[in-house]
Amino acid sequence: MEEQSKKKKLTKGDIVSFVILGVLAVILIPVFIINFTLIIKGSIRSEVPPDVFGIAPMAVTTGSMDGDRDDSFAEGALIFVDILDEKEKQSLAEGEIVTFRTNETYVTHRIVSVVRDKDNSISSVITRGDANNTDDGAIPLENVVGRCTGSIAGAGSFAM
């Protein structure tokens, strides 16, 4: 009987603490792994934004895509960009939102026109932000990195 009295019984508070720690571990471990993956990929391949399973999360830092369309998004949003290979880039169409490189930054705007070569393949796209009055000009297809597949308002500001 002395051995049983020395053993500590779990209280309701202990059980609640274990449950809370378990839930935090389940949430925070994947977040850590995703962030670590994004950091490593970002330092290895600077020509495309870092991605997880082909989707690059990006924070929106300007209001150029703030509009009244269903897929428009405001400054501070978190967008998800599907990284495209060369074959997938050939299927781009007017109205889609794409992310492209300009110097050292990424811009995400809507395609207003597709420019084709003599062989009918896409050579460049002309884009414009939903809140802008002028086109960006012809963006060479090799500068296009992906297609925007969704957004979460305000989550980009939180991530930054």
Side-chain angles (χ1 to χ4, degrees):
M1 286 245 257
E2 259 183 61
E3 283 184 31
Q4 286 181 346
S5 64
K6 288 183 181 179
K7 289 184 181 177
K8 183 180 175 187
K9 289 186 177 182
L10 290 178
T11 65
K12 287 183 181 179
D14 292 335
I15 293 171
V16 169
S17 295
F18 285 131
V19 169
I20 290 172
L21 287 174
V23 168
L24 284 175
V26 166
I27 293 170
L28 294 178
I29 289 173
V31 168
F32 172 76
I33 291 169
I34 289 169
N35 282 330
F36 188 71
T37 301
L38 292 173
I39 290 168
I40 297 299
K41 282 188 171 185
S43 63
I44 293 173
R45 294 179 54 202
S46 61
E47 69 277 1
V48 294
D51 64 279
V52 177
F53 303 119
I55 303 290
M58 302 178 83
V60 178
T61 59
T62 71
S64 67
M65 283 300 293
D66 196 354
D68 56 2
R69 294 176 117 178
D70 287 343
D71 56 353
S72 295
F73 45 84
E75 180 178 354
L78 179 68
I79 61 171
F80 301 97
V81 178
D82 183 17
I83 304 299
L84 302 175
D85 62 25
E86 295 308 312
K87 184 178 177 185
E88 292 170 318
K89 290 178 186 181
Q90 287 299 319
S91 68
L92 291 173
E94 289 181 24
E96 291 185 302
I97 300 172
V98 294
T99 298
F100 56 92
R101 281 188 332 273
T102 62
N103 299 322
E104 297 297 316
T105 62
Y106 293 102
V107 176
T108 302
H109 283 166
R110 190 177 305 279
I111 296 174
V112 294
S113 180
V114 173
V115 179
R116 297 188 177 274
D117 286 338
K118 295 175 192 172
D119 64 355
N120 206 29
S121 64
I122 298 175
S123 62
S124 61
V125 293
I126 297 173
T127 61
R128 178 187 319 142
D130 288 355
N132 296 349
N133 295 327
T134 58
D135 295 343
D136 299 320
I139 308 299
L141 202 59
E142 60 264 13
N143 288 10
V144 175
V145 295
R147 177 186 296 125
C148 181
T149 58
S151 66
I152 301 173
S157 294
F158 177 75
M160 293 295 281

